[in-house]
Amino acid sequence: MKHPLDKFRFCPVCGSSQFEENNEKSKKCHACGFTYYINPSAATVAAIVRENPSGEPEILAVRRAKEPAKGTLDLPGGFSDLGETSEEGVAREVHEETGLTVLRTQFLFSLPNRYVYSGLEIPTMDMFYRCDVAKTDGAHAMDDAAELLWIPVGKVNPADFGLISIREGVARLKKFFQA
């Protein structure tokens, strides 16, 4: 397996090419002594559930408009921005992808993941939240979402979700919302 910083060849402090593996999660510059550690980026995932007319719970899924896993199912969410809390990040991402306004968030669980972006494998910590929204009328696909789908929880198939941590998270959520 490649080192997570294998694409980083030069020290970001002094520019030296003596930037070499230090351990499984860092590189060290032998010219200036700087050590760079790669830690997971904060990412958020929204579980938005509503009842359909028969009283069965449905979860909001999105079809990914972009790589990685373009065309597969996903849950609304994305990376937290600098200076915002994880809760603010999930609310922003939900609004950007669906137009929905998050009223409340409840942390459920987290899962580590690896997200490939521009050929770089980024370790993430995906934080799953149950999100209550103002209303579901008027939701529409925007930004990274090509389509929105309300899927009855009992019919959700984790294998339809393209990202590994989302697939595992959906399996957990399915058990949670069917209980």
Side-chain angles (χ1 to χ4, degrees):
M1 186 162 112
K2 291 190 291 187
H3 192 274
L5 295 170
D6 73 313
K7 294 192 184 296
F8 294 84
R9 297 189 179 153
F10 300 96
C11 175
V13 173
C14 74
S16 169
S17 62
Q18 296 178 23
F19 193 52
E20 299 170 359
E21 286 183 30
N22 185 47
N23 58 35
E24 70 277 354
K25 61 181 180 177
S26 71
K27 278 191 156 185
K28 183 173 184 166
C29 179
H30 295 286
C32 73
F34 174 73
T35 302
Y36 181 76
Y37 288 89
I38 187 153
N39 293 304
S41 294
T44 62
V45 183
I48 301 170
V49 177
R50 71 176 187 188
E51 286 188 7
N52 65 20
S54 66
E56 182 180 15
E58 298 176 315
I59 192 163
L60 179 61
V62 300
R63 188 163 310 282
R64 293 184 61 82
K66 299 176 182 176
E67 294 297 346
K70 180 179 178 179
T72 65
L73 294 183
D74 199 355
L75 295 176
F79 288 99
S80 296
D81 284 344
L82 289 174
E84 73 182 356
T85 68
S86 185
E87 293 83 358
E88 291 166 340
V90 75
R92 176 186 47 75
E93 287 286 349
V94 166
H95 191 264
E96 288 175 1
E97 293 179 8
T98 69
L100 296 172
T101 299
V102 173
L103 300 174
R104 281 176 298 287
T105 60
Q106 176 190 3
F107 178 76
L108 299 173
F109 56 88
S110 63
L111 293 169
N113 190 24
R114 295 208 173 263
Y115 185 87
V116 178
Y117 183 77
S118 295
L120 181 64
E121 193 174 84
I122 300 167
T124 66
M125 182 57 64
D126 296 351
M127 292 169 274
F128 287 72
Y129 290 90
R130 180 179 184 146
C131 294
D132 296 331
V133 295
K135 59 182 180 173
T136 58
D137 301 359
H140 55 284
M142 304 184 314
D143 194 37
D144 295 341
E147 177 184 17
L148 302 185
L149 302 98
W150 287 99
I151 305 171
V153 172
K155 294 182 180 172
V156 170
N157 181 2
D160 293 338
F161 291 77
L163 301 174
I164 294 167
S165 68
I166 302 301
R167 200 175 306 141
E168 185 179 332
V170 164
R172 287 188 189 188
L173 291 169
K174 189 172 177 173
K175 292 175 187 174
F176 179 79
F177 289 116
Q178 285 182 319

